[in-house]
Amino acid sequence: MLLYDANRDGKSDLSETKLVELLPGEFGVHGMCQGPDGALYVACGSESGVDKLGPTLTRSRSPVLEPKLGTILRVSAGEREVIADGFCNPGDVAFTAAGNLLTVDVDNRPDLGLPWYAPTRLYDVAVGRNHGWRVAGKRSGWFPPAYDPRSVERAAELGTGVPTGLTTYRHR
């Protein structure tokens, strides 16, 4: 929802405006932040329903035209576009001082100890790219290994976990 407070009294002046209809829940919509361009960037899990938005995406400008599973959604002035997809359950998004978009995605815990286990991953989001998750929801999944040419490079692998909250430290 987007609320307006033109007179800055701490109360909404207008009725609520839905930015986009998405599903909440464990693998639903999570963190968001305002980007350097003024748009909202939203971390959407693999069960958020972004893949069903269809015509509500601004198709001509969206870097990802047919989103698969978890996504990073950009919402601004009535425009909706998917920046990147192929996440399992990204917990949050944040921008660096240089304007790079970061997200952190959960590990595939059901496969802990198996050769294809993927730890929690920090990504410098690759705009327009699929980040590798292949299975919707909480089921066991598979990521191409880091050395696979289809993989988006991981900024860091963080071990087991379900990340919530992400911020960047900007110091001179």
Side-chain angles (χ1 to χ4, degrees), residues 17-155:
T17 301
K18 277 189 183 177
L19 295 173
V20 65
E21 185 81 35
L22 295 172
L23 303 172
E26 186 179 356
F27 281 62
V29 177
H30 298 300
M32 69 175 74
C33 73
Q34 186 172 21
D37 59 357
L40 287 178
Y41 288 77
V42 185
C44 302
S46 59
E47 295 177 343
S48 65
V50 170
D51 57 334
K52 295 173 180 55
L53 287 177
T56 66
L57 289 176
T58 308
R59 294 265 179 206
S60 62
R61 294 191 47 191
S62 185
V64 177
L65 297 176
E66 295 181 24
K68 307 236 182 330
L69 304 172
T71 64
I72 305 299
L73 183 67
R74 180 185 178 275
V75 181
S76 174
E79 293 183 357
R80 296 163 184 87
E81 54 190 329
V82 174
I83 299 302
D85 68 344
F87 299 100
C88 177
N89 196 24
D92 211 341
V93 287
F95 282 89
T96 66
N100 294 13
L101 177 60
L102 303 176
T103 194
V104 61
D105 202 3
V106 300
D107 68 342
N108 59 335
R109 184 153 313 175
D111 295 336
L112 183 64
L114 297 172
W116 53 85
Y117 167 77
T120 300
R121 295 153 318 283
L122 174 68
Y123 286 107
D124 186 346
V125 175
V127 173
R129 296 268 316 267
N130 182 290
H131 288 67
W133 186 248
R134 305 282 191 246
V135 182
K138 304 166 194 67
R139 296 183 301 265
S140 177
W142 182 79
F143 281 96
Y147 57 80
D148 189 305
R150 297 173 292 174
S151 290
V152 171
E153 186 175 349
R154 301 162 188 177

